Amino acid sequence: MVKNLCLIVFLMFFSFSNAQSLIEWKKETKLDYINFKKKPTQTKTPQGYLDSKLGWQIAEMDGEIPQLKVFNRFDESNSWVSFKHEGILQEMQLQFDLSELYARKLRKDFKDLQAKKVMDKESYRSKFIFESNTFKKD
């Protein structure tokens, strides 16, 4: 019998109340200029900023291994390109795709912890923080 159901969401650099438009990474998702909604910094060369957010959700039930989900989302409202240029759009797509690699690494790490029957959410939290910090450095 389930005594407690606790749902905790940790999202790095992320607040649902502030997010206006998020795109979840999918293989078929290709970013376009319309996805970059923040007012751009005006530059003479093509530049941009992609705000990719890693997040995770954990559901704990007493006596059971936690169930987890890892997210990789692109925040349109906080991303910009200085002007239309195919090279910068490709760079932004590459950054979003690379952030998905970190999300997949986290999913694998979480599965490994689950296979070891780790019940402590702090172990999952520590793994998320470690990988997120690695992601920020790269």
PDB file of all heavy atoms in Angstrom, residues 11-20 22 53 75:
ATOM      1  N   LEU A  11      14.411  21.589 -11.721  1.00  0.00           N
ATOM      2  CA  LEU A  11      14.724  22.058 -13.060  1.00  0.00           C
ATOM      3  C   LEU A  11      15.805  23.129 -12.944  1.00  0.00           C
ATOM      4  O   LEU A  11      15.605  24.142 -12.277  1.00  0.00           O
ATOM      5  CB  LEU A  11      13.491  22.622 -13.753  1.00  0.00           C
ATOM      6  CG  LEU A  11      12.385  21.600 -13.980  1.00  0.00           C
ATOM      7  CD1 LEU A  11      11.135  22.290 -14.504  1.00  0.00           C
ATOM      8  CD2 LEU A  11      12.831  20.524 -14.928  1.00  0.00           C
ATOM      9  N   MET A  12      16.926  22.867 -13.580  1.00  0.00           N
ATOM     10  CA  MET A  12      18.032  23.789 -13.541  1.00  0.00           C
ATOM     11  C   MET A  12      17.711  25.022 -14.374  1.00  0.00           C
ATOM     12  O   MET A  12      17.290  24.922 -15.513  1.00  0.00           O
ATOM     13  CB  MET A  12      19.275  23.085 -14.108  1.00  0.00           C
ATOM     14  CG  MET A  12      20.528  23.892 -13.989  1.00  0.00           C
ATOM     15  SD  MET A  12      21.940  22.920 -14.463  1.00  0.00           S
ATOM     16  CE  MET A  12      21.751  22.930 -16.225  1.00  0.00           C
ATOM     17  N   PHE A  13      17.896  26.205 -13.778  1.00  0.00           N
ATOM     18  CA  PHE A  13      17.656  27.480 -14.435  1.00  0.00           C
ATOM     19  C   PHE A  13      16.232  27.567 -14.976  1.00  0.00           C
ATOM     20  O   PHE A  13      15.999  28.124 -16.029  1.00  0.00           O
ATOM     21  CB  PHE A  13      18.618  27.714 -15.606  1.00  0.00           C
ATOM     22  CG  PHE A  13      20.049  27.547 -15.275  1.00  0.00           C
ATOM     23  CD1 PHE A  13      20.784  26.565 -15.880  1.00  0.00           C
ATOM     24  CD2 PHE A  13      20.648  28.376 -14.356  1.00  0.00           C
ATOM     25  CE1 PHE A  13      22.113  26.411 -15.583  1.00  0.00           C
ATOM     26  CE2 PHE A  13      21.979  28.221 -14.057  1.00  0.00           C
ATOM     27  CZ  PHE A  13      22.714  27.245 -14.665  1.00  0.00           C
ATOM     28  N   PHE A  14      15.284  26.993 -14.273  1.00  0.00           N
ATOM     29  CA  PHE A  14      13.980  26.842 -14.896  1.00  0.00           C
ATOM     30  C   PHE A  14      12.870  27.063 -13.889  1.00  0.00           C
ATOM     31  O   PHE A  14      12.924  26.564 -12.789  1.00  0.00           O
ATOM     32  CB  PHE A  14      13.890  25.438 -15.465  1.00  0.00           C
ATOM     33  CG  PHE A  14      12.640  25.181 -16.237  1.00  0.00           C
ATOM     34  CD1 PHE A  14      12.442  25.778 -17.461  1.00  0.00           C
ATOM     35  CD2 PHE A  14      11.684  24.345 -15.737  1.00  0.00           C
ATOM     36  CE1 PHE A  14      11.293  25.527 -18.171  1.00  0.00           C
ATOM     37  CE2 PHE A  14      10.540  24.091 -16.437  1.00  0.00           C
ATOM     38  CZ  PHE A  14      10.349  24.689 -17.666  1.00  0.00           C
ATOM     39  N   SER A  15      11.871  27.787 -14.288  1.00  0.00           N
ATOM     40  CA  SER A  15      10.680  27.975 -13.482  1.00  0.00           C
ATOM     41  C   SER A  15       9.482  27.957 -14.416  1.00  0.00           C
ATOM     42  O   SER A  15       9.431  28.694 -15.385  1.00  0.00           O
ATOM     43  CB  SER A  15      10.749  29.310 -12.740  1.00  0.00           C
ATOM     44  OG  SER A  15       9.501  29.618 -12.185  1.00  0.00           O
ATOM     45  N   PHE A  16       8.516  27.085 -14.114  1.00  0.00           N
ATOM     46  CA  PHE A  16       7.346  27.011 -14.987  1.00  0.00           C
ATOM     47  C   PHE A  16       6.631  28.353 -15.072  1.00  0.00           C
ATOM     48  O   PHE A  16       6.086  28.710 -16.099  1.00  0.00           O
ATOM     49  CB  PHE A  16       6.363  25.947 -14.480  1.00  0.00           C
ATOM     50  CG  PHE A  16       6.761  24.555 -14.840  1.00  0.00           C
ATOM     51  CD1 PHE A  16       7.166  23.668 -13.862  1.00  0.00           C
ATOM     52  CD2 PHE A  16       6.754  24.127 -16.150  1.00  0.00           C
ATOM     53  CE1 PHE A  16       7.540  22.388 -14.192  1.00  0.00           C
ATOM     54  CE2 PHE A  16       7.126  22.849 -16.497  1.00  0.00           C
ATOM     55  CZ  PHE A  16       7.522  21.969 -15.505  1.00  0.00           C
ATOM     56  N   SER A  17       6.641  29.117 -13.994  1.00  0.00           N
ATOM     57  CA  SER A  17       5.933  30.391 -14.013  1.00  0.00           C
ATOM     58  C   SER A  17       6.585  31.400 -14.951  1.00  0.00           C
ATOM     59  O   SER A  17       5.921  32.277 -15.477  1.00  0.00           O
ATOM     60  CB  SER A  17       5.852  30.966 -12.601  1.00  0.00           C
ATOM     61  OG  SER A  17       7.160  31.190 -12.097  1.00  0.00           O
ATOM     62  N   ASN A  18       7.899  31.282 -15.164  1.00  0.00           N
ATOM     63  CA  ASN A  18       8.598  32.216 -16.037  1.00  0.00           C
ATOM     64  C   ASN A  18       8.668  31.735 -17.473  1.00  0.00           C
ATOM     65  O   ASN A  18       8.897  32.522 -18.379  1.00  0.00           O
ATOM     66  CB  ASN A  18      10.016  32.463 -15.523  1.00  0.00           C
ATOM     67  CG  ASN A  18      10.014  33.198 -14.208  1.00  0.00           C
ATOM     68  OD1 ASN A  18       9.094  33.927 -13.901  1.00  0.00           O
ATOM     69  ND2 ASN A  18      11.052  32.994 -13.413  1.00  0.00           N
ATOM     70  N   ALA A  19       8.532  30.459 -17.688  1.00  0.00           N
ATOM     71  CA  ALA A  19       8.680  29.916 -19.042  1.00  0.00           C
ATOM     72  C   ALA A  19       7.416  30.174 -19.846  1.00  0.00           C
ATOM     73  O   ALA A  19       6.328  29.880 -19.417  1.00  0.00           O
ATOM     74  CB  ALA A  19       8.962  28.429 -18.975  1.00  0.00           C
ATOM     75  N   GLN A  20       7.605  30.736 -21.017  1.00  0.00           N
ATOM     76  CA  GLN A  20       6.458  31.019 -21.860  1.00  0.00           C
ATOM     77  C   GLN A  20       6.333  30.023 -22.988  1.00  0.00           C
ATOM     78  O   GLN A  20       5.237  29.646 -23.351  1.00  0.00           O
ATOM     79  CB  GLN A  20       6.573  32.434 -22.419  1.00  0.00           C
ATOM     80  CG  GLN A  20       6.478  33.480 -21.356  1.00  0.00           C
ATOM     81  CD  GLN A  20       6.662  34.861 -21.933  1.00  0.00           C
ATOM     82  OE1 GLN A  20       6.810  35.043 -23.132  1.00  0.00           O
ATOM     83  NE2 GLN A  20       6.652  35.851 -21.074  1.00  0.00           N
ATOM     84  N   LEU A  22       8.299  26.537 -24.387  1.00  0.00           N
ATOM     85  CA  LEU A  22       9.350  25.529 -24.308  1.00  0.00           C
ATOM     86  C   LEU A  22       9.144  24.478 -25.389  1.00  0.00           C
ATOM     87  O   LEU A  22       8.020  24.092 -25.683  1.00  0.00           O
ATOM     88  CB  LEU A  22       9.327  24.837 -22.943  1.00  0.00           C
ATOM     89  CG  LEU A  22       9.562  25.723 -21.741  1.00  0.00           C
ATOM     90  CD1 LEU A  22       9.349  24.946 -20.468  1.00  0.00           C
ATOM     91  CD2 LEU A  22      10.958  26.305 -21.779  1.00  0.00           C
ATOM     92  N   LYS A  53      17.536  23.832 -21.321  1.00  0.00           N
ATOM     93  CA  LYS A  53      17.332  23.551 -19.901  1.00  0.00           C
ATOM     94  C   LYS A  53      17.191  22.054 -19.659  1.00  0.00           C
ATOM     95  O   LYS A  53      16.316  21.420 -20.218  1.00  0.00           O
ATOM     96  CB  LYS A  53      16.078  24.272 -19.417  1.00  0.00           C
ATOM     97  CG  LYS A  53      16.174  25.773 -19.592  1.00  0.00           C
ATOM     98  CD  LYS A  53      14.878  26.442 -19.252  1.00  0.00           C
ATOM     99  CE  LYS A  53      14.892  27.919 -19.525  1.00  0.00           C
ATOM    100  NZ  LYS A  53      15.939  28.682 -18.938  1.00  0.00           N
ATOM    101  N   ASP A  75      14.161  26.956 -24.464  1.00  0.00           N
ATOM    102  CA  ASP A  75      13.323  28.071 -24.052  1.00  0.00           C
ATOM    103  C   ASP A  75      13.345  29.154 -25.139  1.00  0.00           C
ATOM    104  O   ASP A  75      14.325  29.883 -25.276  1.00  0.00           O
ATOM    105  CB  ASP A  75      13.821  28.628 -22.719  1.00  0.00           C
ATOM    106  CG  ASP A  75      12.938  29.720 -22.162  1.00  0.00           C
ATOM    107  OD1 ASP A  75      11.995  30.171 -22.852  1.00  0.00           O
ATOM    108  OD2 ASP A  75      13.190  30.140 -21.015  1.00  0.00           O
TER     109      ASP A  75
END
